């Protein structure tokens, strides 16, 4: 019997605090024109899309609204504002210009009250699809408490299905996935896919992953799913899976 993936605490912690995303850590309200993201309506609509993407792993969904003016990727900022709250922790594992803190982390934490943490203990982590070491270092939860596993948000250049898009063609299987389903994702390395296989091998422990591109498309990879890189055989017709 197939076991449906159950979203973890770190996956959807922020939804419990709908309406609080206009409160920075100091407690003072941010002007509405500075936020540019409705802390109730936009969070709810974004959450519904994330939930749909998590229930249908590997499917490309369109996020409804971006955080205009947010650093790095306005769509990733919208996802983080939805997932985080004052009880959760964040680590942005991307290079920062000042070498101190990434501006995306500062942007999100001041609006959610989330706290900074080392990648090894953070609830939500932002990292690239080439950093297998970062992925391998994230907390995976335990058999008794799998919900303490981290969630990883990965910025990518593009996502696509049905032959549209660039990058690796990835085949995914597991609960909620049609047989033979695949999608395209740029900025993902085969070695990262292999590391991801190791990280989720002990399901239900593991890491849930969100791929988000610059046009607001999202693909969710719950820990209950298996992922492989598709390569084309010499005849150009028959794909073979390489884990």
């Amino acid at each position: 019997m197939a076991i449906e993936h159950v979203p973890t605490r770190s996956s959807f912690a922020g939804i419990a605090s709908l309406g609080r995303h206009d409160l920075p850590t100091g407690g003072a309200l941010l002007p509405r024109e500075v936020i540019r993201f409705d802390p109730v309506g936009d969070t709810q609509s974004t959450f519904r899309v994330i939930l749909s993407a998590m229930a249908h792993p590997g499917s490309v969904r369109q996020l409804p609204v971006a955080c205009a003016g947010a650093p790095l990727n306005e769509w990733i900022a919208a996802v983080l504002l939805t997932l985080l709250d004052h009880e959760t922790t964040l680590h942005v594992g991307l290079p920062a210009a000042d070498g101190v803190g990434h501006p995306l982390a500062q942007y999100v934490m001041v609006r959610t009250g989330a706290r900074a943490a080392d990648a090894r203990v953070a609830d939500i982590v932002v990292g690239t699809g080439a950093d297998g070491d970062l992925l391998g270092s994230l907390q995976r939860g335990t058999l008794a408490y799998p919900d303490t596993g981290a969630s990883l948000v990965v910025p990518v250049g593009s996502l696509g299905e049905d032959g549209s898009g660039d990058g690796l063609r990835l085949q995914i299987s597991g609960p909620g996935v049609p047989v033979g389903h695949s999608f395209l994702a740029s900025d993902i390395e085969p070695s990262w896919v292999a590391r991801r296989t190791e990280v989720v091998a002990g399901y239900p422990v593991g890491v849930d992953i969100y791929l988000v591109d610059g046009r607001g498309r999202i693909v969710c990879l719950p820990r209950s799913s298996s992922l492989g890189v598709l390569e084309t055989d010499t005849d150009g017709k028959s794909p073979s899976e390489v884990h």
Side-chain angles (χ1 to χ4, degrees), residues 11-12 43 45-65 73-83 124 151-161 172 181-185 208-222:
S11 297
F12 299 137
T43 300
S45 60
T46 299
F47 175 73
R48 285 193 290 269
V49 172
I50 294 174
L51 189 61
S52 175
M54 185 64 77
H56 301 87
S59 63
V60 178
R61 295 286 193 266
Q62 178 64 50
L63 292 166
V65 62
N73 182 317
E74 297 176 343
W75 300 98
I76 283 182
V79 170
L80 294 177
L81 289 183
T82 300
L83 298 181
I124 307 289
S151 293
L152 176 65
V153 180
V154 179
V156 298
S158 65
L159 293 166
E161 293 178 286
I172 185 169
H181 181 71
S182 65
F183 65 95
L184 288 165
D208 297 322
I209 298 174
Y210 307 85
L211 308 179
V212 183
D213 74 8
R215 296 173 59 185
R217 292 172 295 193
I218 184 171
V219 167
C220 289
L221 307 175

Side-chain angles (χ1 to χ4, degrees), residues 123-145:
D123 297 312
I124 307 289
V125 177
V126 181
T128 72
D131 194 346
D133 290 339
L134 176 66
L135 173 57
S137 72
L138 305 184
Q139 59 178 344
R140 306 177 192 181
T142 65
L143 290 176
Y145 300 100

Side-chain angles (χ1 to χ4, degrees), residues 9-10 17 27 38 40 58 66 123 154 189 208 211 215 222:
R9 175 183 178 277
S10 61
S17 62
D38 180 13
V40 177
D123 297 312
V154 179
E189 296 292 336
D208 297 322
L211 308 179
R215 296 173 59 185

Side-chain angles (χ1 to χ4, degrees), residues 76-100:
I76 283 182
V79 170
L80 294 177
L81 289 183
T82 300
L83 298 181
L84 288 161
D85 66 12
H86 71 287
E87 295 182 341
T88 54
T89 53
L90 171 68
H91 178 87
V92 178
L94 303 172
D98 59 9
V100 178

